[in-house]
């Protein structure tokens, strides 16, 4: 509990003192140290400040200061120790001993934040430390939000947070603001700065900003094996002493050096580390004079500098940081601060003939260069020679595009062809399970729910799990090797033609896996208009959820050309995204272009562990969806289709079946006629069930929307499946599985055969096939374009900050889907006709 939360008369034992710098020094000098008892005497009339009794004397603290001190109450101690001791032992223990042991337990909790550049290997370290399953990609923008995990090591509980990758802590991108806010508001005990050993100069720029923040930092010198292999020499111990930060060599992808990293974390946390100290980066005589001048005025806000280093705030003001300026607007002397800052900025810019942001940046890099000159010796042989040799081929002006197109084609072709084998095995297993349940259960709603609802519905979707795994195997390979960044490089000029740049290409490629993280990955795009356009065209990228529908329809109607047509569908999505972006950029999103700046990391051999983690993560998400939203949707669709059990024509069909059955029971009927009557009964039963299904609740919904979808060649069953796909696109397949189970003979035909054999039951098209090749193409086009799932709409709302763009996405995608599917159906029939 925080000290500020204690009520008058309550007490607690101090477990942890947070804060930094002068505040921490002052508060500990006043006796607020771990293990001391604090009693709340009283609150001021306005509830702030609060008077406390500690070490035999009274002292007042503001509520904001008290919130940086963690205490343990007897009740909390009892709860903390409940797992370690029995109820009897806790009852018998004295209150002081109980609280003392509780403090000891609470003080062994270390809150850690992982901070670093994209590609530095933060998430690899996070995965190894916590046994987590976050995907690691060799390009920027993989981690688009914080990830949390907890684990125990040497008696300490580590709460670890993997923050988004960021090159600096300016207010330029949402990631930078997010990381800064997290560090200030969550106040982690230790920040582990993960640095790529192959690019020390650039990575250490972020380190200098963490130094300015005056927080406890440990530096994980990651990918250290690459530095050794290149023959470079780095005295990281000396560098640690220069910066006042302990350096720990690690190889995150293999889990090497992580025990040492945790040991160092414990030493820094318990203040036993001999290297840790706070230093000031020297920005030069004139800039330091400006810092001192502004700092005097900022320090008058004693409550503010409890949470923020005054020096850090000054440096950010000189960098013209809008977030810090907004923060200071709440202070009573804001105008005085602003006047001094403006004066110092003008003074410095007149001296150096450059803007102050550049001056600060140059000074930081000058500091880094000086430190590296003392500690780092580069191998005279050319660096990243292998990467350059590979790039000479993969990004070649002639070969780059054909190789890129081939890799994308290979991904989709293999997904379909290789996935057919395990898909058929799972399909057989689902079929056998359905036959088994059908044979052991008596007829009734429960049997029908299990066989024609859950098994047929969920089973028709789960068969596509191998395809999902194969798709993500290829995506993971492209990401982890570093090729995905090259794809953005190759595509930049084309992206520029549509008003975007190469950075937009990465979220679009991610959209082939899932549109939700792809939309979240647009945070790496600095320009808001470009970010919005990328969000709005991302749904055209065929996510893995649409893949089961594509495979089902293509396997049913185009088995000989399924792989090529699958590639064509994905290509159509890309073409539509490009065309839509061009329209948007010339109409509602006109904006000035920004320069294309993006890191091209060195090629790295992906580890089997990383690829398997990615595949398993996506596979488990798919399976969870089976037992969650898809299962619920299947049961709901089945119930709507199962009830009511009778229609207006049910009695008439029953009478006809009864008349034929009486003839069949006559002993004198010859075998040939008996077979014919059996067929007639079966046909009547099929018509009866078809009539009942048309008049079911589901059929009524389908009939209601059928006039809107009939011009595209769709019947009511297709319409219902499209409606169900609003929740998740996989449900389209499971809905078709439910709808087409009960109106055909209970033989071993799979869903593909049922789609091929489905005919219209009434109207002028009676007896003709519902699904033709033209209808199948129109259906696939509609699936590609229309309403992205609810999760995508929610992500667009969240990332754009407005329901306006989410609702706009719903209407423009569905309208475009109807138009193109209509054209495909009508023109296709004209050509064939």
């Amino acid at each position: 509990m925080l000290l500020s939360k204690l009520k008058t008369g309550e007490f607690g034992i101090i477990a942890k003192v947070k804060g930094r710098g002068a505040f921490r020094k002052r508060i500990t000098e006043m006796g607020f140290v771990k293990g001391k008892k604090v009693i709340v005497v009283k609150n001021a009339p306005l509830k702030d400040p609060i008077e406390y009794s500690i070490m035999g004397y009274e002292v007042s603290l503001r509520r904001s200061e008290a919130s940086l001190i963690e205490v343990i109450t007897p009740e909390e101690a009892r709860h903390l120790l409940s797992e370690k001791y029995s109820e009897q032992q806790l009852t018998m223990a004295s209150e002081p001993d109980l609280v003392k042991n509780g403090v000891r337990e609470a003080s062994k909790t270390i809150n850690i934040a992982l901070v670093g550049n994209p590609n530095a290997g933060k998430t690899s370290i996070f995965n190894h430390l916590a046994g987590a399953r976050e995907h690691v990609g060799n390009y920027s923008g993989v981690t688009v939000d914080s990830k949390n995990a907890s684990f125990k090591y040497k008696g300490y509980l580590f709460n670890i947070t993997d923050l988004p990758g960021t090159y600096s802590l300016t207010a330029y991108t949402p990631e930078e603001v997010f990381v800064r806010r997290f560090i200030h508001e969550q106040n982690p005990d230790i920040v582990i700065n993960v640095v790529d050993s192959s690019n020390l100069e650039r990575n250490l720029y972020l380190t200098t900003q963490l130094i300015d923040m005056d927080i406890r930092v440990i530096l994980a010198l990651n990918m250290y094996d690459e530095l050794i292999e290149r023959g470079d020499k780095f005295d990281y111990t000396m560098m640690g002493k220069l910066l006042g930060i302990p350096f720990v060599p690690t190889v995150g992808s293999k889990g090497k050096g992580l025990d040492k990293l945790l040991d160092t974390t414990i030493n820094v946390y318990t203040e036993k580390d001999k290297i840790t100290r706070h230093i000031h980066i020297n920005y030069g005589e004139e800039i330091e004079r400006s810092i001192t001048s502004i700092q005097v005025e900022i320090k008058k806000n004693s409550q503010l500098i409890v949470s923020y280093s005054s020096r850090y705030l000054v440096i950010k003001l000189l960098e013209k940081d809008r977030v810090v300026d907004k923060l200071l607007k709440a202070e009573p002397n804001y105008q005085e601060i602003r006047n001094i800052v403006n004066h110092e900025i003008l003074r410095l810019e007149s001296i150096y003939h450059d803007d102050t942001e550049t001056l600060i940046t140059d000074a930081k890099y000058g500091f880094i260069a000086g430190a590296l000159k003392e500690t780092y010796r580069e191998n005279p042989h050319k660096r990243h020679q292998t990467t350059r040799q590979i790039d000479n081929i993969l990004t070649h002006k002639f070969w780059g595009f054909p190789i890129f197109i081939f890799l994308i084609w290979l991904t989709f072709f293999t997904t379909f062809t290789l996935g057919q084998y395990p898909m058929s095995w799972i399909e057989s297993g689902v079929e056998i399970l359905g036959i088994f349940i059908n044979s052991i259960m008596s007829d009734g709603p429960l049997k029908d729910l299990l066989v024609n609802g859950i098994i047929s519905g969920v089973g028709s979707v789960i068969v596509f799990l191998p395809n999902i795994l194969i798709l993500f195997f290829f995506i993971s390979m492209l990401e982890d090797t570093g090729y995905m960044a090259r794809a953005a490089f190759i595509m930049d000029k084309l992206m520029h033609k549509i008003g975007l740049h190469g950075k937009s290409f990465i979220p679009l490629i991610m959209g082939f896996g899932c549109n939700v993280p792809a939309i979240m990955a647009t945070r790496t795009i600095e320009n808001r208009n470009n970010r919005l356009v990328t969000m709005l065209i991302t749904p055209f990228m065929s996510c893995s959820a649409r893949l089961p529908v594509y495979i089902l329809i293509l396997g049913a109607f185009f088995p000989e050309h399924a792989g090529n047509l699958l590639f064509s569908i994905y290509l159509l999505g890309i073409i539509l995204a490009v065309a839509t972006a061009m329209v948007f950029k010339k109409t509602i999103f006109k904006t000035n272009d920004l320069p294309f700046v993006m890191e091209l990391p060195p090629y790295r051999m992906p580890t089997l562990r990383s690829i398997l983690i990615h595949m398993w993560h996506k596979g488990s998400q798919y399976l969870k969806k089976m037992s969650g939203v898809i299962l619920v949707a299947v049961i709901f669709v089945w119930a709507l289709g199962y009830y009511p059990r009778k229609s207006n024509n049910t009695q008439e069909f029953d009478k006809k079946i009864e008349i034929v059955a009486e003839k069949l029971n006559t002993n004198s009927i010859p075998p040939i006629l008996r077979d014919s009557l059996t067929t007639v009964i079966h046909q009547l039963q099929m018509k009866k069930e078809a009539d009942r299904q048309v008049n079911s609740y589901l059929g009524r919904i389908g009939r209601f929307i059928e006039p809107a979808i009939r011009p595209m060649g769709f019947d009511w069953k297709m319409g219902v499946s499209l409606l169900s796909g609003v929740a998740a696109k996989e449900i389209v397949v499971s809905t078709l599985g439910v709808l087409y189970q009960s109106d055909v003979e209970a033989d071993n035909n799979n869903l593909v055969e049922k789609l091929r054999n489905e005919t219209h039951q009434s109207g002028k098209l009676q007896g003709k096939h519902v699904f033709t090749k033209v209808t199948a193409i129109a259906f696939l086009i509609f699936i590609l374009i229309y309403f992205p799932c609810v999760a995508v709409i929610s992500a667009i709302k969240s990332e754009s900050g407005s329901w306006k763009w989410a609702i706009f996405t719903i209407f423009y995608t569905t309208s475009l889907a109807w138009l193109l599917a209509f054209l495909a159906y009508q023109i296709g029939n004209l050509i064939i006709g």
Side-chain angles (χ1 to χ4, degrees):
M1 179 184 286
L2 300 178
L3 181 58
S4 58
K5 300 292 184 183
L6 287 181
K7 297 177 182 177
T8 302
E10 292 182 339
F11 79 93
I13 306 297
I14 296 175
K16 188 183 292 185
V17 179
K18 295 184 177 182
R20 31 141 306 279
F23 165 77
R24 186 180 175 84
K25 185 173 182 295
R26 179 173 66 87
I27 209 78
T28 53
E29 286 174 349
M30 293 169 64
F32 287 87
V33 292
K34 189 171 76 174
K36 295 299 180 182
K37 181 178 180 180
V38 187
I39 304 171
V40 182
V41 178
K42 62 177 179 287
N43 283 260
L46 297 177
K47 302 295 183 183
D48 204 7
I50 307 169
E51 184 180 334
Y52 297 100
S53 176
I54 185 170
M55 297 176 66
Y57 72 101
E58 277 66 45
V59 62
S60 70
L61 291 179
R62 289 193 179 96
R63 194 171 291 275
S64 59
E65 295 172 335
S67 66
L68 293 171
I69 300 172
E70 291 184 9
V71 297
I72 298 294
T73 63
E75 293 77 15
E76 285 183 314
R78 189 177 298 278
H79 177 72
L80 280 169
L81 299 170
S82 59
E83 293 183 6
K84 205 169 185 180
Y85 300 100
S86 66
E87 187 63 35
Q88 185 179 2
Q89 289 175 311
L90 293 174
T91 304
M92 292 177 64
S94 64
E95 196 171 79
D97 288 341
L98 192 70
V99 178
K100 188 184 292 184
N101 288 330
V103 168
R104 189 179 298 116
E105 200 69 25
S107 63
K108 287 195 171 184
T109 299
I110 308 177
N111 299 314
I112 298 171
L114 287 180
V115 175
N117 286 189
N119 304 313
K122 285 185 304 83
T123 308
S124 292
I125 290 177
F126 179 81
N127 286 341
H128 271 280
L129 287 177
R133 294 293 177 266
E134 290 307 322
H135 176 53
V136 182
N138 190 14
Y139 68 96
S140 64
V142 172
T143 307
V144 293
D145 212 337
S146 62
K147 307 292 187 299
N148 306 292
S150 297
F151 61 94
K152 287 190 174 181
Y153 178 80
K154 291 189 177 180
Y156 285 84
L157 174 64
F158 286 78
N159 296 321
I160 185 167
T161 302
D162 180 21
L163 294 173
T166 177
Y167 292 106
S168 74
L169 296 177
T170 61
Y172 193 47
T173 67
E175 282 86 358
E176 293 168 350
V177 175
F178 181 89
V179 172
R180 280 167 54 174
R181 185 178 293 125
F182 181 91
I183 293 172
H184 288 307
E185 293 179 0
Q186 301 302 318
N187 203 6
D189 298 311
I190 307 286
V191 170
I192 295 180
N193 179 202
V194 182
V195 166
D196 179 359
S197 299
S198 66
N199 203 332
L200 287 170
E201 187 170 12
R202 193 207 62 218
N203 277 245
L204 287 172
Y205 181 80
L206 177 61
T207 310
T208 63
Q209 295 181 315
L210 294 172
I211 290 171
D212 287 337
M213 294 177 82
D214 190 10
I215 54 178
R216 289 193 285 183
V217 179
I218 296 170
L219 196 140
L221 194 60
N222 203 31
M223 306 175 196
Y224 192 68
D225 54 337
E226 294 184 11
L227 185 144
I228 299 299
E229 287 172 9
R230 288 200 312 269
D232 295 350
K233 305 292 183 184
F234 182 43
D235 188 349
Y236 58 83
T237 304
M238 175 61 74
M239 177 64 95
K241 290 177 181 177
L242 289 173
L243 300 185
I245 297 173
F247 278 54
V248 181
T250 60
V251 183
S253 61
K254 300 175 183 176
K256 292 183 179 179
L258 300 188
D259 286 348
K260 175 67 174 173
L261 182 64
L262 294 177
D263 291 336
T264 305
T265 302
I266 293 171
N267 288 337
V268 173
Y269 176 72
T270 56
E271 300 182 350
K272 294 177 182 177
D273 186 79
K274 296 179 181 178
I275 291 177
T276 300
R277 63 190 176 93
H278 178 60
I279 68 164
H280 284 173
I281 295 169
N282 192 310
Y283 290 98
E285 183 180 349
E286 295 298 334
I287 296 177
E288 287 294 334
R289 184 184 300 171
S290 296
I291 290 173
T292 304
S293 177
I294 303 167
Q295 208 170 3
V296 170
E297 190 65 32
I298 284 183
K299 282 184 176 180
K300 292 178 182 178
N301 304 297
S302 55
Q303 195 168 346
L304 178 68
I305 61 174
V306 166
S307 302
Y308 296 88
S309 161
S310 59
R311 183 177 174 85
Y312 165 77
L313 293 174
V314 172
I315 292 166
K316 285 298 165 190
L317 287 171
L318 289 174
E319 290 180 323
K320 303 172 185 175
D321 189 284
R322 54 182 173 80
V323 174
V324 167
D325 185 73
K326 187 177 179 181
L327 173 73
L328 290 169
K329 279 184 179 178
E331 301 303 321
N333 62 338
Y334 168 74
Q335 198 54 54
E336 289 81 359
I337 295 171
R338 190 70 260 171
N339 291 338
I340 298 171
V341 170
N342 290 340
H343 175 267
E344 293 300 330
I345 287 175
L346 285 173
R347 188 181 71 84
L348 290 172
E349 290 183 348
S350 65
I351 293 172
Y352 294 103
H353 304 290
D354 208 343
D355 64 271
T356 49
E357 187 175 0
T358 303
L359 295 176
I360 297 288
T361 301
D362 289 346
K364 285 184 185 294
Y365 275 115
F367 172 81
I368 294 166
L372 287 174
K373 190 173 182 180
E374 297 292 323
T375 57
Y376 180 66
R377 294 291 179 272
E378 186 180 353
N379 189 324
H381 296 294
K382 190 176 279 189
R383 303 179 65 197
H384 300 320
Q385 187 67 35
T386 304
T387 289
R388 291 195 179 117
Q389 288 172 349
I390 296 172
D391 269 344
N392 286 340
I393 299 171
L394 296 185
T395 61
H396 190 272
K397 62 179 180 179
F398 296 127
W399 309 120
F401 267 108
I403 291 172
F404 167 70
I405 293 170
F406 170 76
L407 289 174
I408 300 298
W409 171 84
L410 180 66
T411 298
F412 301 128
F413 181 79
T414 309
T415 296
F416 187 89
T417 54
L418 195 61
Q420 278 188 321
Y421 300 102
M423 180 180 167
S424 63
W425 303 334
I426 296 174
E427 197 171 50
S428 299
V430 170
E431 196 173 275
I432 291 168
L433 178 62
I435 294 170
F436 174 71
I437 297 295
N438 193 53
S439 64
I440 64 171
M441 290 186 69
S442 57
D443 291 340
L446 180 60
K447 175 183 174 180
D448 200 88
L449 170 63
L450 290 174
V451 176
N452 295 328
I454 294 173
I455 293 175
S456 293
V458 175
S460 61
V461 178
I462 203 170
V463 297
F464 299 105
L465 179 62
N467 303 95
I468 301 296
L469 294 176
I470 293 169
L471 176 65
F472 278 104
F473 170 82
F474 279 97
I475 290 178
S476 180
M477 286 286 290
L478 294 174
E479 291 173 352
D480 292 1
T481 55
Y483 181 76
M484 199 70 89
R486 271 70 187 182
F489 173 76
I490 291 168
M491 293 296 293
D492 178 60
K493 189 165 185 179
L494 285 180
M495 297 298 286
H496 185 75
K497 296 287 185 185
I498 64 173
L500 301 174
H501 57 57
K503 257 191 180 180
S504 294
F505 187 69
I506 288 175
L508 295 177
I509 287 291
M510 287 179 70
F512 289 132
C514 178
N515 287 169
V516 174
I519 287 166
M520 294 174 72
T522 59
R523 294 180 190 178
T524 60
I525 303 168
E526 293 83 3
N527 182 276
R528 175 170 168 78
N529 279 357
N530 284 352
R531 191 159 64 245
L532 281 170
V533 172
T534 308
M535 274 185 225
L536 295 177
I537 66 174
T538 295
F540 291 125
M541 301 296 106
S542 285
C543 64
S544 59
R546 294 181 177 104
L547 188 60
V549 190
Y550 297 157
I551 293 174
L552 173 69
I553 302 299
L554 291 175
F557 300 100
F558 307 97
E560 303 87 0
H561 308 289
N564 291 329
L565 283 174
L566 182 63
F567 175 71
S568 300
I569 292 168
Y570 279 80
L571 185 61
L572 174 61
I574 295 170
I575 292 169
L576 287 172
V578 168
T580 306
M582 291 178 72
V583 172
F584 284 166
K585 290 293 288 185
K586 290 181 179 179
T587 54
I588 54 179
F589 291 109
K590 291 181 180 179
T591 183
N592 293 326
D593 197 15
L594 290 176
F596 174 60
V597 181
M598 188 179 130
E599 179 187 4
L600 293 178
Y603 288 102
R604 292 190 173 98
M605 183 64 68
T607 62
L608 181 61
R609 181 180 186 274
S610 171
I611 292 172
L612 291 178
I613 283 175
H614 191 201
M615 291 172 65
W616 169 248
H617 179 58
K618 293 302 178 185
S620 62
Q621 280 186 332
Y622 193 69
L623 292 173
K624 283 176 185 175
K625 206 181 273 190
M626 299 298 106
S627 60
V629 62
I630 291 178
L631 179 61
V632 171
V634 160
I635 294 172
F636 183 67
V637 169
W638 170 85
L640 289 176
Y642 189 75
Y643 296 102
R645 293 304 298 155
K646 293 182 179 180
S647 71
N648 295 333
N649 300 319
T650 299
Q651 287 185 346
E652 184 181 339
F653 279 113
D654 285 341
K655 286 178 182 178
K656 290 180 179 179
I657 291 170
E658 188 177 346
I659 292 170
V660 178
E662 287 177 359
K663 292 181 181 179
L664 186 63
N665 292 330
T666 304
N667 294 329
S668 59
I669 292 181
I672 295 175
L673 186 56
R674 185 178 296 276
D675 292 340
S676 177
L677 289 174
T678 301
T679 303
V680 170
I681 289 175
H682 174 64
Q683 289 175 344
L684 286 170
Q685 287 173 335
M686 286 178 61
K687 289 180 179 180
K688 172 189 170 183
E689 180 56 30
D691 179 72
R692 187 205 65 77
Q693 199 174 56
V694 167
N695 289 282
S696 67
Y697 298 125
L698 197 64
R700 294 171 194 177
I701 295 170
R703 290 294 184 186
F704 178 75
I705 65 170
E706 192 171 30
I709 61 175
R710 174 60 66 192
M712 297 181 287
F714 302 169
D715 74 339
W716 69 269
K717 293 181 182 179
M718 297 162 74
V720 169
S721 69
L722 292 171
L723 280 180
S724 68
V726 167
K729 289 298 177 283
E730 300 99 330
I731 301 177
V732 172
V733 175
S734 60
T735 302
L736 290 173
V738 172
L739 290 175
Y740 287 120
Q741 286 304 315
S742 55
D743 59 351
V744 293
E745 185 177 5
D747 55 20
N748 292 335
N749 286 343
N750 58 27
L751 182 56
V752 168
E753 289 300 320
K754 291 166 187 174
L755 291 177
R756 288 172 179 166
N757 298 327
E758 174 72 1
T759 57
H760 290 282
Q761 300 299 313
S762 61
K764 61 182 180 181
L765 295 176
Q766 185 174 357
K768 292 187 177 181
H769 285 101
V770 173
F771 269 101
T772 64
K773 290 193 174 185
V774 174
T775 309
I777 291 294
F779 189 70
L780 289 174
I781 290 172
F782 198 89
I783 289 290
L784 165 69
I785 306 168
Y786 91 111
F787 190 117
C789 70
V790 173
V792 172
I793 295 300
S794 177
I796 291 174
K797 184 265 174 187
S798 176
E799 295 302 314
S800 67
S802 170
W803 274 110
K804 176 177 71 174
W805 296 116
I807 294 169
F808 175 73
T809 302
I810 293 172
F811 283 101
Y812 97 82
T813 55
T814 307
S815 301
L816 184 62
W818 191 95
L819 177 63
L820 293 184
F822 170 78
L823 291 174
Y825 178 72
Q826 298 296 339
I827 294 171
N829 279 329
L830 283 174
I831 293 171
I832 291 174

